[in-house]
Amino acid sequence: MLALTEAALRRSLVNCSRSEAAAMAPPRDLAELDWASLEVLGWRDPRAELRGYLVHEQDDGVVGLALRAADTAMSSRRSAMCLLCQTVRPAAEVSLFTARRVGEAGRNRDTVGTYVCADLRCAHQVLQVPPTARHLDPDLQALAVEEQVAGLHRRLRAFTADVTRR
């Protein structure tokens, strides 16, 4: 991912107003991020616990989505799967996030939702060798990680397309 400034992060947000983008709290470690190793930048707003952001590259540039987490958590005694990175985690670590659609639909409060890692660190999850590939040689493990990364990009592009569809 290309290195982005705080201003570029704000400009990338496609589904919120300018004033909402101006109120965005950037990631605390923005200056120290290893941009070359990032597939997707996701973070929760420290000033508003239900607000989060996902920023990723697409063919036509960088796209950022403002998200809102559900205000209730799932039972910690169950498991749930993040639908972006497809990692199974304790249900308390997965949350329903909604993104307001762009344009008139968004002004009418139309949203798109999906279950995502509550910490929005899906990009870190897909870089881990999956348990089903840990017994394989390193080349095949690397291939499994590449497939996970490609899947994350496909699913994130599809979610973004739903949000930006007019």
Side-chain angles (χ1 to χ4, degrees), residues 49-128:
E49 69 181 49
L50 297 180
R51 202 173 4 203
Y53 304 93
L54 284 174
V55 178
H56 63 101
E57 289 180 359
Q58 291 197 153
D59 295 335
D60 56 345
V62 177
V63 177
L65 299 175
L67 307 171
R68 182 174 176 5
D71 54 0
T72 58
M74 292 188 278
S75 170
S76 61
R77 295 180 296 198
R78 297 187 180 259
S79 295
M81 183 170 70
C82 169
L83 297 178
L84 291 182
C85 67
Q86 294 194 331
T87 302
V88 176
R89 304 178 75 173
E93 295 177 18
V94 175
S95 182
L96 174 64
F97 280 90
T98 56
R100 188 171 48 209
R101 297 190 68 198
V102 299
E104 186 67 30
R107 287 188 289 279
N108 291 332
R109 301 192 186 279
D110 189 8
T111 61
V112 178
T114 192
Y115 287 93
V116 182
C117 294
D119 59 7
L120 296 173
R121 294 177 51 91
C122 296
H124 298 283
Q125 296 294 331
V126 297
L127 296 176
Q128 305 301 315

Side-chain angles (χ1 to χ4, degrees), residues 39-40 84-85 123 125-128 142-155 157:
E39 299 297 330
V40 176
L84 291 182
C85 67
Q125 296 294 331
V126 297
L127 296 176
Q128 305 301 315
L143 184 59
V145 170
E146 285 178 33
E147 288 176 2
Q148 289 183 146
V149 170
L152 172 66
H153 285 290
R154 268 192 319 277
R155 290 181 291 276
R157 278 194 306 271

